[in-house]
Amino acid sequence: MDKLNNISVVWNHKGDKWLDPREYFNLKPEQYLYFATSVFWRASVGKWKGASSVYKNALVVKYSEEIRLYLLGERTYPNHACVAVFIDNSDHYSAMTSFPSVTKEDGFHNHIFIIPGIKFIMLVGKNTVNPSSLYYKENIAFIRSDFSNPITNQEFKKIRNLIKNSVVAKGRLDKGN
């Protein structure tokens, strides 16, 4: 965390502090890029016992092959992909973990997975928005974010909406009982 605190903030958006990519030299951004991309690719092509098949083939064939070749060191990172690494900036790291998931946006796919303290987002498609001033080599950005804030944390919002709109109380939780 100390390495992140010493990097200048170039953009503050809804409490997320986008760090200056010209100052990433101590972060080893290529290793984060490789790690996140490999997790998304493996989840998309692999068969996971007991896991949902919702993410199976989530990377379209074209992008899956480009990413496979990147992971093998046979090509550069795909032009129509970028990764944002959100680092939990709260006093107490979130223990939230998730298997990769994907949502379709207008002209691109938004892939997300979380490990304690870090959320990886990979945008893939022709209409990805990655201002080059915010991304290192136009494919990775680091952002300090407060995961404990339920107002700005998208995962908390999704869980809250799911509970509010889709979950039916049963047993002792059912007020009608």
Side-chain angles (χ1 to χ4, degrees):
M1 184 61 112
D2 290 338
K3 289 180 183 179
L4 294 174
N5 289 333
N6 294 327
I7 298 176
S8 304
V9 173
V10 292
W11 188 42
N12 193 336
H13 180 68
K14 296 182 180 179
D16 291 337
K17 295 170 177 40
W18 289 69
L19 304 180
D20 189 342
R22 295 169 296 181
E23 299 178 24
Y24 287 179
F25 42 86
N26 288 325
L27 297 180
K28 301 181 181 175
E30 291 87 357
Q31 292 178 5
Y32 282 89
L33 182 68
Y34 187 92
F35 169 74
T37 303
S38 72
V39 170
F40 288 118
W41 183 80
R42 291 167 201 254
S44 178
V45 301
K47 293 181 183 177
W48 301 95
K49 186 176 181 177
S52 170
S53 63
V54 173
Y55 197 75
K56 181 79 174 153
N57 299 320
L59 294 168
V60 188
V61 174
K62 173 188 174 187
Y63 296 118
S64 182
E65 180 60 12
E66 288 180 5
I67 288 171
R68 184 185 76 81
L69 293 172
Y70 159 75
L71 295 171
L72 290 171
E74 296 178 10
R75 68 156 288 155
T76 59
Y77 201 76
N79 291 334
H80 299 296
C82 59
V83 171
V85 182
F86 287 80
I87 309 294
D88 193 353
N89 201 37
S90 59
D91 293 334
H92 303 285
Y93 291 133
S94 169
M96 188 181 290
T97 302
S98 72
F99 195 76
S101 63
V102 63
T103 56
K104 186 172 175 35
E105 307 293 335
D106 188 24
F108 65 94
H109 288 84
N110 186 16
H111 302 262
I112 299 174
F113 81 91
I114 302 169
I115 59 175
I118 304 175
K119 174 171 57 173
F120 295 93
I121 297 178
M122 182 171 72
L123 305 178
V124 180
K126 291 186 179 179
N127 293 335
T128 59
V129 177
N130 63 340
S132 59
S133 63
L134 298 177
Y135 284 77
Y136 178 77
K137 296 186 179 178
E138 298 186 9
N139 55 31
I140 187 165
F142 287 88
I143 302 99
R144 291 190 337 238
S145 183
D146 186 353
F147 290 11
S148 66
N149 186 343
I151 306 233
T152 59
N153 186 303
Q154 293 301 312
E155 285 68 36
F156 283 135
K157 284 182 181 178
K158 288 177 187 175
I159 292 169
R160 184 184 69 221
N161 288 338
L162 177 69
I163 290 170
K164 186 177 177 182
N165 300 320
S166 303
V167 174
V168 177
K170 295 180 182 179
R172 288 185 272 171
L173 296 176
D174 186 1
K175 291 181 181 177
N177 230 348

